[in-house]
Amino acid sequence: MPKIPLWDLPELPKNQLPPHLYLQKTRVFCNNDAPTHTENIHYSGAYAALGVDNSLRLDEFRKNFKVKVIKLNEEDMEFDLIGIDASIANAFRRILISELPTMAIEKVLVANSSSVVQDEVLAQRLGLVPIKVDPRLFDYMSENDVPNQKNSIVFKLHYKCDRGSGERRTVYSHDLKWLPFGSEYVLPTESSSDSTSKPKTYTSFTSSQDSLPEFANNPITVTPGIIISKLGPGQEIELEAHAVKGVGKTHAKWSPVATSWYRMLPEVILLQDIEDDDAHKLVKKCPVNVFDIEDVGRERATVARPRSCTLCRECIREPGWEEKVALRRVKDHFIFTIESTGALPPEVLFTEAVKILEDKCERVITELS
Amino acid sequence: MSPLGECPLDPGGYFVVKGNEKASVMSSTEMTKSKTIIRMEKEKVYLVLNAFTSKVPIMLVMKAMGMETDQEVVQMLGRDPQYATLLLPSIEDCASIGIYTQLQALEFLEKKDEGALGVLRDIFIPNIRVGGIKSPVRENNFHLKCVYVVVMLRRMMDAILNKDAMDDKDYIGNKRLELSGQLLSLLFEDLFKSMNDQVKFNVDKILSKPSRSSRFDVSQHLLKESITVGLERSLSTGNWDVSRFKMHRKGMTQIVTRLSFIGAFGSMTKISPQFEKSRKVSGPRALQPSQWGMLCPCDTPEGEACGLVKNLALMTHVTTDEEEGPIISLCTCFGVEDLSTLSGEELHSPSSYLIILNGLILGKHRRPERFANVMRKLRRAGKVGDFVSIYVNEKQRCVYIASDGGRVCRPLVIADNGVSRIKDHHMRELKDGVRNFDSFLREGLIEYLDVNEENNALIALYEGEATHETTHVEIEPFTILGACAGLIPFPHHNQSPRNTYQCAMGKQAMGNIAYNQSLRSTVSLNEAMSDGYLDLPFGLSSTAATDDENNRAAGQNATVAVMSYSGYDIEDAIVMNKSSLDRGFGRCIVMKKISAAYQKYDNTSDQFSSPCRSQHDQIQILDNDGLASPGEIIRHQDVYFQKECPIDPKGSMKSHPSQTPYRTSKQTYKGAEGETAVVDRVALCSDKRNNLNVKFMIRHTRRPEVGDKFSSRHGQKGVCGTIVQQEDFPFSERGICPDLIMNPHGFPSRMTVGKMIELLGSKAGVSCGRFHYGSAFGEPSGHADKVEDISETLVKHGFCYNGKDFLYSGITGMPLQAYIFMGPIYYQKLKHMVLDKMHARGMGPRQLITRQPTEGRSRNGGLRVGEMERDCLIAYGTSNLIYERLMISSDPFEVQVCRKCGLLGYINYKSKTRVNFKNISRFLLS
Ligand code: SF4
Ligand SMILES: [Zn+2]
């Protein structure tokens, strides 16, 4: 390498990072062996020597931050979060998984279960059945609370497979019936002495839940079609399931999402012109059709659908190709996916998550001040 | 079987004794040892026989058996002067003491031991009868015995002249397996004879009495149950003490470990050696080439018994005894010339072969190959038993026919001139269910070969590899593995000891036992476990693919990320995802049997007792009959059984039963504190003495906790190091979050490449929706998936060809700085769980004699500060702690000592006074 005197180097533009540093700051380089520059550089003075201020500015953020909804239906949602730091996107993901409350079956009172599924296993399976109800309408039940209409939902499951039928039957989640009046099972300690008053049950509902406006014409249901158990001839399941409010941190059954995650926006760059045979080769390599061929006199490969890149590194696997194709990830562009279990629609889940993060921030601020 | 509540897939092969399942362990012996030894000492040959007090020169024996001329012996040995030279010193020795005739020899022997002729006739090589019914020759014709001795001599001399002719002691063809039938028949014989003796003794005693009141009836004196009791005792303790046969063996039976189907199956194929295990020899431990296809090359324990304890391969069959008579007459039909019609010269003549059936010389045959082929044809046609083996040994110029029991053999496809007899239409019929294995065998498409006969066969591994000389084709190469080793996917990529470790570990994995596992228990198992949810492995192995073993899986497919995480994953520990555990990963059910009984006394018996409800909480789970009801949750210290016992079981003879005073007796459940178990079933039955027995099956569902042991199918065990929230776990571009994280340090030194390929194969399997196969021998034949194809599938579904994914950290949200090898691996939960082992104590019980703390978890024992722990404390400088532990914590004891005489004082319990109160002082013993 020839020696270049320092003063012969080109002058750096002020208040702007040189291109390679800018790339390192904003992109993850997905090389063949390992990804590099995965970290975000947060320190405000990281580039002070270059005269570049690296601090986060709220107005900048406001200007640049964008949310783009790509796909939205009852259960799934895919949207882009652009111009945000990975830590905050991750905070949303973490809150979605573990801190958003839902209702889930916590207590199962088994009156009779002669199926092959053991009671504990049955209870565990029931617990994981998503309940389609807005958890915001309910309170948490703390240790010494009694179950009432504000903090519990009671379901009943009574299913019997007749001995005569001679065939097996499947118990599905939609066989769970909502009991708006609460439990029907009488507490054993309750002696029959005062038969005048209503016998005390496992819940103490003061009013029926279906009298509430929210549930008036909208009975609480669970996600249908989930197999709970199978019954042979003569077997029977009779139980009551009590659902309470909780968060995914305690148990995964309270997680409102099946999962939620993000990926950084893929960026596929052709460092050189790839033409003719090579172009065809490249198009063939990619299993998800990221590349296309464009005809500009010669056939040239172009990057048509970088977003669908799954980072299989097939295009740079062969020696020599790493110089031709660069796989990168944009560090502040997140393709966020939420798969709801059905309690709340995914867009509501996200706004709830934002609210929780907001709460947390406020708590920190009040603590600090 | 299923209507009766038995599992139709149960292989059987075990005894149910006193409520336990006991499998008898096969033991391998050297070929039935005879007590006759011919030994060469200082160039002279002697016969060593227990019945003779000292060794006897062999020529003397020959002479005593009527072979008076030395020339005849030499002639029989063969013309080669080498043999004569070797025998010469013995001949001279005999001549030097002046013995030339049979009479002289017998007299000489008689002088030393009385009844020498009888010994020679009955004890010396007893399998050759002298006279009697079987032999048509007249009494005391020792010719055949002489021939036998000469053959022995010749073999010995061959071995001297040529080391290659030596027999290999570890050769499987020279071994016999002893099965439970043989053992039981010995035991039965002994018990039956003892009973007869006892009966005879008793009857004699009665008959010798001068006057008898009643008519004599011998059936009255037959001992009841003595045989049953004897058999039961032997089976349940495993001690075979048969004095009649000088047999004292321990550990002949083992409890069938019902942890998973494969485990139970594997423990029943175990073969243990007869000699003691401590021998420091390498020969018998080494892999024998002859065990190919018969015994599993992988499945052997580590340590002491390594290589000695073996396991059967998948298709091995152990023969049972077969009648010799028909075979002998068949042999004579096909031209075996009887020895007595031949001269001595012809015995070792090179033009013909000796025919030997189960060690009995039948005669000679001039065309041995033809003879062997005829016999084999007969076997394929079903005229002689399937397991009769015909083996032409060209070196020894013998044809061996074996029909005895205990030989291992395996089925092979017969090929004529290199063309397999099984054609496509046969296979189609097999698939359609028209045929089965037996019909193949019956029609002579498949035959069983034992180890010896395999030496005459040229076996092609695959049909395509068969040449013109090929006589047999392997049914499926992976059948050389046993049941446990067959479960390992891609075992040929693993370092071999890893496969061996997995064979031992697969037996500890918890899984489905049988179809009837929910009904079992009352009779058999004490503790059975099974996973709540079990999967089939995505990456199947050979045995799993063929058998219906899948229905009784013993593990789950866990998505594994091979990466470092949190530092709680050192030393093979794994990090588990809490949400996966919440959703049911790794759960298991532990069943425990506890029993209670209502005792009967002379006049009274225990009574049901209904609990008094107003009492404390601990009796809540009792029904009105005093038994815990099924489905109830049971905690530590809960009463599960309550009965009324008569206060004085003996003295209540006079009083009316209703007036006897009773007290309530309770049994409380002792389980782990803070854990809730459930009463699964309550069974009532009566025991031998007609007492009412109650058996409670307690079921405990456990979710994995820190310290529970897990293992993949590659001998890679590890405990759960920590449990981490799902949001802290890394996640992939597709939102996949691993179930557990394994440290990559587990790979380099273990070299379990098979595990990596399993991961790749399973990952490809889940993405394309097809099971992938990992049989050890399948790659060339296309029965297993190749890594190249797997990688192609992965790429097709958008994964990297090497299975490494781009992962984001769940904690920081940033991508990880490496691609992570991630995919499903089949993981097993092993029976070692923290809950059963966790133990600590402060103050606690002490032993009565030594006053030291008790030992062991079950006795709430103390934890020993041993020398290494002491070293640690010294190194740390915690002198007071050492002082306390060594001096104060366990030993000191206070006694009262008399100041005058120095004797230890004591309390006189009768007068409740201390002896010599005045002079006593306290004294601390430590
Ligand atoms: S990494 Fe894979 S998916 Fe992405 S562009 Fe290259 S070949 Fe296509
Ligand atoms: Zn004294």
Side-chain angles (χ1 to χ4, degrees), chain A residues 266 268 282-291 303 305-306 308-316 325-327 329, chain B residues 795 798-800:
Chain A
V268 183
L282 183 64
V283 170
K284 249 226 186 111
K285 273 175 201 251
C286 181
V288 288
N289 282 321
V290 167
F291 304 101
V303 181
R305 288 163 289 271
S308 53
C309 171
T310 59
L311 202 59
C312 68
R313 279 108 69 202
E314 199 57 18
C315 48
I316 55 169
V325 184
L327 300 173
R329 297 278 137 139
Chain B
V795 169
F799 289 104
C800 186

Side-chain angles (χ1 to χ4, degrees), chain A residues 28-35 38-40 42 85-87 90 93-94 97-99 116 118-121 124-125 128 189 248-253 255 257-264 266 285 287-288 309-314 317 329 334, chain B residues 518 530 532-533 578-585 587 589 620 631 678 680 699-701 703 725-729 731-737 791 795-802 804-806 808-819:
Chain A
V28 177
F29 291 63
C30 303
N31 305 327
N32 223 342
D33 51 350
T38 58
E39 298 302 306
N40 279 349
H42 291 123
D85 191 78
S87 48
N90 192 34
R93 185 189 70 87
R94 293 170 62 91
I97 290 175
S98 70
E99 281 170 69
V116 286
Q118 294 88 350
D119 297 353
E120 312 91 90
V121 181
Q124 194 252 353
R125 290 182 74 88
L128 289 171
T189 47
K249 211 173 237 170
T250 334
H251 193 284
K253 66 186 173 187
S255 186
V257 290
T259 184
S260 89
W261 80 99
Y262 57 76
R263 62 197 184 103
M264 291 172 172
K285 273 175 201 251
V288 288
C309 171
T310 59
L311 202 59
C312 68
R313 279 108 69 202
E314 199 57 18
R317 176 173 159 194
R329 297 278 137 139
F334 297 94
Chain B
S518 54
S530 68
Y533 299 97
K578 178 169 167 288
S579 295
S580 303
L581 304 187
D582 287 343
R583 292 181 177 117
F585 176 73
R587 298 211 174 191
I589 292 168
Q620 279 226 327
V678 179
D680 191 60
R699 151 164 50 91
H700 187 201
T701 305
R703 76 181 255 162
Q725 295 279 348
Q726 188 196 332
E727 63 267 23
D728 288 338
F729 253 56
F731 57 97
S732 83
E733 292 255 286
R734 309 172 176 221
I736 299 170
C737 193
S791 287
V795 169
K796 209 167 78 200
H797 292 88
F799 289 104
C800 186
Y801 75 100
N802 58 12
K804 291 187 186 177
D805 288 343
F806 183 67
Y808 297 86
S809 161
I811 301 171
T812 66
M814 248 84 79
L816 296 177
Q817 282 166 342
Y819 298 117

Side-chain angles (χ1 to χ4, degrees), chain B residues 529-558:
Chain B
M529 313 187 178
S530 68
D531 268 292
Y533 299 97
L534 293 160
D535 295 345
L536 311 187
F538 291 136
L540 291 179
S541 53
S542 41
T543 336
T546 42
D547 279 326
D548 44 358
E549 247 64 291
N550 290 330
N551 301 327
R552 289 147 296 163
Q556 287 170 309
N557 290 299

Side-chain angles (χ1 to χ4, degrees), chain B residues 443-455:
Chain B
E443 288 172 31
L445 306 173
I446 281 178
E447 66 178 341
Y448 278 98
L449 294 193
D450 79 350
V451 185
N452 282 320
E453 197 176 342
E454 267 187 328
N455 290 335

